[in-house]
Amino acid sequence: MKNNVSEETRNEAMRVAKATQKPGQTKEQTKLIAQGIEKGIAEYKKQQKVKTRERDKARKQQQKAKTSAANEVQQPTDYSAPGRAWLPWALLALSWLGFISLYVMTH
């Protein structure tokens, strides 16, 4: 297994191991305890990275959902419903009849 623990983590593990050292404990035992602490710290950091990635994924999914919901709301309404197809044409015809009648009355 690749040992990719930082020097800072090693120093911290050794400091904790020495702080909890019992009387009569050998240096080798202290080193073993420090290695165990290093592994624990490394495992904790891995777990935190996984949690951070999961939180980021969830946040991105929520943001994507909000964006898609906002886009759905902004979609134009479909006015080509069968019951209302005649309304624009009727208004156009009425306006032309009004213009023609106004023109005939003034001339």
Side-chain angles (χ1 to χ4, degrees), residues 9-39 41:
T9 303
R10 281 193 195 112
N11 291 338
E12 182 69 19
M14 186 56 82
R15 187 184 65 75
V16 171
K18 285 182 179 180
T20 59
Q21 189 174 13
K22 305 231 182 217
Q25 185 174 315
T26 65
K27 288 183 179 183
E28 188 62 33
Q29 290 172 331
T30 305
K31 282 185 181 181
L32 289 172
I33 292 170
Q35 287 175 352
I37 293 170
E38 281 179 35
K39 288 180 182 178
I41 292 172

Side-chain angles (χ1 to χ4, degrees), residues 71-84:
N71 287 344
E72 288 176 9
V73 170
Q74 294 175 356
Q75 294 296 327
T77 307
D78 186 15
Y79 290 111
S80 63
R84 296 203 174 205

Side-chain angles (χ1 to χ4, degrees), residues 64-100:
K64 190 182 274 188
K66 283 182 183 178
T67 303
S68 66
N71 287 344
E72 288 176 9
V73 170
Q74 294 175 356
Q75 294 296 327
T77 307
D78 186 15
Y79 290 111
S80 63
R84 296 203 174 205
W86 59 270
L87 183 61
W89 293 107
L91 291 173
L92 181 65
L94 279 173
S95 65
W96 278 100
L97 286 173
F99 294 139
I100 292 171

